[in-house]
Amino acid sequence: MTGPGGALLVVGDVITDVVARHAGPLAPGTDTAAVIRTVPGGAGANVACWAARRGGCEVRLLGRVGADAAVWHERELAACGVRPRLVVDADVPTGTVVCLVDEGAAAERTFLTDSGASLRLGPEDWSDALLDGVGRLHLSGYLLFSGSSRALVAVASKAAEARGVPVSVDPASAGFLAELGPDRFLSLVERVDVLLPSRDEACLLTGCADVAEAAASLSRRVPLVVVKLGAEGALLARSGEVCARVPALPVTPRDTTGAGDAFTGAFLAALLAGADPGRAAEDGCRAGAAAVERVGARPPARD
């Protein structure tokens, strides 16, 4: 059953993460000891799982995977309370990301990304019926980094607008965003009502060195901007002004992979459950704190 605000439909990437946690710098040309795990990931899928963990609404996910891992990913999503609709690509394997996690105090991570089937999601995979009972459509920013999935974004956004369904976007990757270009990205998200960038993404999109100025600037183009600041929490901006700052919870990080996805998922679920944006950002910060205390980008499976 959907919640009082309708279901959350997430459209985005479903990825296999290979997480390698190492202590100290990598040793070029030889071995570096590491603890390595293979876990389900993908920004879109992670957002969906954390939204389901927060509760208050039904969560659905549209994504594309290869035949190699389709059954596993569907099972893992369902175990987190997500209703998956996975398109199986017969020609390309599931995307894979190698996450190199430094076990230092910041638990910082570096990604090696093979998007695989995830960015082959296209308009042919979309049906307007996917919006039945939906109160919000969330699009992973990774969709904007290939021609096929950009076309899907345009079709889905137009369909949502026709039904009065609000749309949110998380830019997802400062590196890919720089390649796409800020102006092109902003032109692609004109129908969005909530934008959820990281600090680096907000500054890149605006050219502002100060994150508060960047948030304020973006909020002249998007009705609500929520900038995720990691250990510094989050700030919210509307109509050209910062309207709220929400502190993070103090935690000792083990793995920061997926912390931003956790914030986004919990924030959107809280909005759909009727919370105001400030309260929703508090839920987002709690989810982000829970995420960094775990290895991998997903919450634990439901009992």
Side-chain angles (χ1 to χ4, degrees):
M1 294 179 62
T2 59
L8 172 65
L9 172 60
V10 179
V11 182
D13 44 319
V14 181
I15 297 288
T16 299
D17 285 345
V18 179
V19 182
R21 299 169 60 217
H22 58 94
L26 296 174
T30 187
D31 296 319
T32 299
V35 176
I36 301 173
R37 291 179 57 195
T38 299
V39 294
N46 297 340
V47 166
C49 289
W50 285 99
R53 179 181 185 268
R54 192 276 176 193
C57 66
E58 177 187 302
V59 182
R60 309 170 187 174
L61 173 71
L62 173 64
R64 192 176 183 99
V65 294
D68 58 311
V71 173
W72 178 59
H73 276 293
E74 185 164 357
R75 183 177 66 242
E76 293 293 322
L77 288 163
C80 284
V82 175
R83 289 183 58 188
R85 177 170 172 171
L86 301 183
V87 179
V88 179
D89 194 309
D91 301 318
V92 175
T94 304
T96 301
V97 172
V98 178
C99 312
L100 305 178
V101 182
D102 188 339
E103 289 191 311
E108 195 51 73
R109 71 266 194 262
T110 301
F111 300 136
L112 302 174
T113 301
D114 177 354
S115 296
S118 67
L119 295 190
R120 284 164 57 93
L121 198 67
E124 67 278 6
D125 301 318
W126 175 261
S127 165
D128 288 357
L130 290 167
L131 292 172
D132 291 349
V134 167
R136 172 170 292 278
L137 171 64
H138 178 71
L139 303 169
S140 169
Y142 280 107
L143 296 171
L144 299 174
F145 303 135
S146 84
S148 174
S149 51
R150 272 196 300 273
L152 170 64
V153 166
V155 170
S157 298
K158 186 175 180 180
E161 184 178 39
R163 292 201 185 194
V165 175
V167 182
S168 54
V169 169
D170 184 329
S173 168
F176 288 162
L177 187 58
E179 293 181 23
L180 181 68
D183 290 341
R184 190 174 186 194
F185 176 88
L186 290 169
S187 72
L188 292 168
V189 297
E190 289 178 344
R191 292 186 172 95
V192 167
D193 80 306
V194 179
L195 186 66
L196 297 119
S198 67
R199 179 200 304 269
D200 289 346
E201 291 156 1
C203 292
L204 177 61
L205 284 170
T206 59
C208 298
D210 180 81
V211 69
E213 290 180 12
S217 176
L218 285 171
S219 72
R220 297 184 185 99
R221 304 186 64 153
V222 178
L224 176 62
V225 175
V226 183
V227 182
K228 297 170 286 187
L229 303 175
E232 296 176 33
L235 60 82
L236 286 67
R238 287 187 185 273
S239 303
E241 294 184 357
V242 171
C243 58
R245 295 176 182 267
V246 179
L249 278 65
V251 294
T252 300
R254 294 185 66 204
D255 176 8
T256 57
T257 306
D261 301 333
F263 179 101
T264 295
F267 176 85
L268 295 176
L271 278 188
L272 271 173
D276 65 69
R279 292 283 187 183
E282 291 174 3
D283 279 15
C285 285
R286 280 191 288 272
V292 301
E293 291 181 313
R294 293 176 52 78
V295 174
R298 298 271 182 91
R302 291 182 173 181
D303 295 330

